[in-house]
Amino acid sequence: MSLKFLPQIRQLELFKDRSPSEFEALVQGAEEKVLKHRQCLFAAGTPASAFGVVVKGALKLVRPSSEGDNTIVHFATPGDIIAALLMSTPGAEYPVSSIAMGHSIVLKIPRSTYAASWFTNASIQKCFGGNLFTRMSQLQAQKAMVKAPLSRKIATQLVTLIERYSGENENILPIPLTRMEIAESLGASVESVIRVMSDWSRKGYISTTDQVIEILEMDKIIEIVKGSSRTKNGRSGQEQPIELPQFRQR
Amino acid sequence: MSLKFLPQIRQLELFKDRSPSEFEALVQGAEEKVLKHRQCLFAAGTPASAFGVVVKGALKLVRPSSEGDNTIVHFATPGDIIAALLMSTPGAEYPVSSIAMGHSIVLKIPRSTYAASWFTNASIQKCFGGNLFTRMSQLQAQKAMVKAPLSRKIATQLVTLIERYSGENENILPIPLTRMEIAESLGASVESVIRVMSDWSRKGYISTTDQVIEILEMDKIIEIVKGSSRTKNGRSGQEQPIELPQFRQR
DNA sequence: CGTGCAGTTGACGACACTCAACCCTGGTGG
DNA sequence: CCACCAGGGTTGAGTGTCGTCAACTGCACG
């Protein structure tokens, strides 16, 4: 089998410094999935026959709900391993759907390879643990924020995501992220998210072009993340009520 | 070394059906910690030199916060493995404190034993994965509930905890659980939790004696868990619709 | 006998959710 | 070519849930 994206793949923490033979074993039967925006990789409820390693782009892991109000449980970024915990319980089903955000590449690896080469590889298991630990920490951190004002939650979410894309352009989130998705990941309503972010746009803290969010004044955002929680609330803040005529600067 | 609580320990899923020699290796250097109510096992911020397996009772894992508003990230019940993810990253510190709720017993196992016997044991690793999976699922489930009314969150929390203590008396939660702890685990205020639960007490759904909560009418609680979310809100319930003006045509 | 913790209750108010519009853009089919 | 629609973003009005503050009870403990 030939891997077209070998260079990117070998660059991931997970595969760095592996001998050719070891690498070969790890990607046995693997498939490079090139996903278009919105395309689904694993659908919730279907039998988990493979797991994935994100190579490029991002995936949202969505927990389906009986009606409308889905929840985004995690944004998987390059290097993230998804659905791996399921590999050791035979017959498991994916508990969440994974859906691409923007053009993404995922290495899809069959369960058999997991049992054969991943599960028994100590160094891999260690990466694994690290990955899980990060994800758990994030979930816990979010849990600790339920009482915080919405603006703080959004700011934290943005900063966290940008940090995960460490390197390159420090202040652009290089994936299409709608306000709806932010809302679903935070357990808020779209409207509320919009109100907060529109306010930031007006103040020039951030700007959005084509679903791609750029942070213009990181220090302001960080300030909100730290959140004195009592003094500023993000949408009204301490703005002076000049009758500004709503010109959109785009 | 002599283990006083050997029978209870051997009964745990994790240690069932292990040969004496394997078991011996797994508990090498282990210590049986008998904890009093409120006693701390691991303190957040201290170096993680050991992990634990809950044998009896329960522990709350508390994420400390700069001031007052701590967050309970997990209630560990018998069979739960705690701090194990930390064992594979040397020099890590406990991210949360673990504090006993009521009289509890924990098997405290040193890091060295983890590296020697746990990490390399496939069957153990599998248990591990299962444990983590459960915990992740719970965190995710909770995340999906942020928009639900408080009454629903509390009901779900109670039912989940009782289920984890499967067996024995179906409707009693055999650990002291204060309303404060419920609040901290749900990200709510004590007062709000009290308002909901007092209401349930008054209606005879639950009763509390000495911090131990008993569910008297499980079906009612389950009904709240399912939550039609629009019809009942828990504290006022569906008490007589005295010509309520309230005509919401949806 | 004071202190501290758990539980309780009431008043008040704010943040954010719901509902209901509306704009804009891009895609699709008549 | 244009009408229509869907999806993303935006805004305003109204309202409800829940958090904050404050006071008070009962109980265990030293």
Side-chain angles (χ1 to χ4, degrees):
Chain A
M1 145 211 43
S2 66
L3 294 173
K4 281 166 55 187
F5 303 101
L6 190 66
Q8 284 106 309
I9 294 175
R10 293 301 307 237
Q11 238 174 276
L12 299 175
E13 188 65 40
L14 198 57
F15 296 120
K16 237 176 200 162
D17 311 325
R18 307 243 169 237
S19 75
S21 67
E22 187 183 6
F23 180 72
E24 187 61 34
L26 288 174
V27 298
Q28 194 57 250
E31 206 181 329
E32 286 171 316
K33 284 277 187 185
V34 177
L35 303 170
K36 290 198 300 271
H37 189 35
R38 307 268 123 141
Q39 199 176 333
C40 181
L41 177 66
F42 302 136
T46 58
S49 59
F51 68 108
V53 177
V54 182
V55 177
K56 186 177 159 297
L59 300 182
K60 53 178 175 179
L61 308 191
V62 184
R63 187 190 157 94
S65 136
S66 32
E67 28 80 34
D69 50 343
N70 293 340
T71 309
I72 296 182
V73 161
H74 185 70
F75 292 108
T77 50
D80 274 11
I81 311 169
I82 63 182
L85 265 186
L86 298 178
M87 291 300 103
S88 38
T89 46
E93 294 179 347
Y94 296 113
V96 294
S97 301
S98 14
I99 298 169
M101 303 170 68
H103 179 83
S104 305
I105 302 173
V106 180
L107 196 57
K108 182 175 166 184
I109 306 173
R111 172 178 235 128
S112 54
T113 304
Y114 178 83
S117 313
W118 289 62
F119 186 60
T120 53
N121 184 323
S123 146
I124 285 281
Q125 284 292 321
K126 215 167 255 188
C127 277
F128 238 77
N131 224 280
L132 272 175
F133 182 68
T134 312
R135 209 151 128 195
M136 286 273 285
S137 302
Q138 272 182 39
L139 278 173
Q140 295 187 358
Q142 285 202 14
K143 182 168 178 179
M145 275 218 313
V146 271
K147 308 185 71 168
L150 184 56
S151 56
R152 178 133 170 252
K153 293 191 214 170
I154 300 177
T156 308
Q157 175 83 92
L158 291 181
V159 171
T160 310
L161 275 177
I162 287 190
E163 263 169 13
R164 296 248 299 288
Y165 272 102
S166 57
E168 317 170 32
N169 200 319
E170 274 306 326
N171 294 328
I172 287 192
L173 194 54
I175 50 170
L177 180 68
T178 66
R179 277 115 227 266
M180 182 63 165
E181 283 161 343
I182 296 177
E184 281 179 347
S185 105
L186 257 31
S189 69
V190 210
E191 295 95 323
S192 299
V193 172
I194 285 177
R195 273 183 249 270
V196 172
M197 294 185 66
S198 298
D199 185 57
W200 291 348
S201 286
R202 245 169 274 134
K203 289 188 185 153
Y205 297 177
I206 63 172
S207 88
T208 313
T209 343
D210 238 8
Q211 257 104 292
V212 169
I213 299 170
E214 177 177 10
I215 298 192
L216 303 173
E217 301 202 34
M218 187 53 100
D219 41 345
K220 297 285 190 182
I221 300 295
I222 295 289
E223 197 177 300
I224 297 172
V225 169
K226 297 227 192 72
S228 35
S229 67
R230 188 129 318 281
T231 45
K232 61 192 315 136
N233 64 14
R235 71 222 249 187
S236 59
Q238 69 287 54
E239 63 199 357
Q240 49 281 55
I242 317 165
E243 68 288 29
L244 68 160
Q246 282 300 82
F247 48 85
R248 50 191 330 105
Q249 69 277 41
R250 300 225 21 187
Chain B
M1 145 211 44
S2 65
L3 294 173
K4 280 167 55 186
F5 302 100
L6 189 67
Q8 283 105 311
I9 295 175
R10 292 300 306 238
Q11 237 172 278
L12 298 175
E13 189 66 40
L14 196 56
F15 295 121
K16 238 177 199 161
D17 311 325
R18 308 243 169 237
S19 74
S21 67
E22 187 183 8
F23 180 71
E24 187 61 32
L26 289 174
V27 298
Q28 194 57 251
E31 206 182 328
E32 286 171 315
K33 283 279 189 184
V34 177
L35 303 169
K36 290 199 301 270
H37 190 35
R38 307 266 126 142
Q39 198 177 335
C40 182
L41 177 65
F42 302 137
T46 58
S49 59
F51 68 106
V53 177
V54 181
V55 177
K56 186 177 159 298
L59 301 182
K60 53 176 174 180
L61 308 192
V62 184
R63 188 190 156 94
S65 136
S66 33
E67 29 81 33
D69 50 341
N70 294 339
T71 309
I72 295 181
V73 291
H74 186 69
F75 292 108
T77 50
D80 275 12
I81 310 170
I82 63 183
L85 265 187
L86 298 177
M87 291 301 104
S88 38
T89 46
E93 293 177 345
Y94 297 114
V96 294
S97 302
S98 14
I99 297 170
M101 303 171 67
H103 178 82
S104 306
I105 302 172
V106 180
L107 195 58
K108 183 176 168 185
I109 305 173
R111 173 178 234 126
S112 54
T113 303
Y114 178 84
S117 314
W118 289 62
F119 186 60
T120 53
N121 184 323
S123 146
I124 285 282
Q125 285 290 321
K126 214 166 256 188
C127 276
F128 237 76
N131 224 283
L132 273 173
F133 182 67
T134 312
R135 209 151 128 193
M136 288 273 286
S137 302
Q138 272 181 39
L139 277 172
Q140 295 186 358
Q142 286 202 12
K143 183 168 176 176
M145 275 219 311
V146 271
K147 310 185 71 167
L150 184 55
S151 55
R152 178 135 168 250
K153 293 191 214 169
I154 299 177
T156 308
Q157 175 81 95
L158 290 181
V159 171
T160 310
L161 275 176
I162 286 190
E163 264 168 12
R164 296 249 299 289
Y165 270 103
S166 56
E168 317 168 36
N169 200 321
E170 275 305 327
N171 295 329
I172 288 193
L173 195 53
I175 50 170
L177 180 68
T178 66
R179 277 112 226 267
M180 181 63 163
E181 282 161 343
I182 297 177
E184 280 178 348
S185 107
L186 256 29
S189 69
V190 209
E191 295 94 325
S192 300
V193 172
I194 285 177
R195 272 183 250 268
V196 172
M197 293 185 65
S198 298
D199 186 55
W200 291 349
S201 285
R202 243 170 279 134
K203 290 189 185 152
Y205 296 179
I206 63 172
S207 86
T208 314
T209 344
D210 237 10
Q211 255 105 292
V212 169
I213 299 170
E214 177 177 10
I215 298 193
L216 302 173
E217 300 202 33
M218 187 53 99
D219 42 344
K220 298 284 188 181
I221 300 295
I222 295 289
E223 197 176 300
I224 297 172
V225 169
K226 298 229 190 73
S228 32
S229 67
R230 189 130 315 282
T231 44
K232 63 193 312 137
N233 64 15
R235 70 221 244 192
S236 56
Q238 69 285 52
E239 50 207 19
Q240 289 67 292
I242 323 146
E243 80 285 25
L244 65 165
Q246 279 308 83
F247 51 89
R248 52 190 326 109
Q249 69 285 32
R250 310 205 30 178

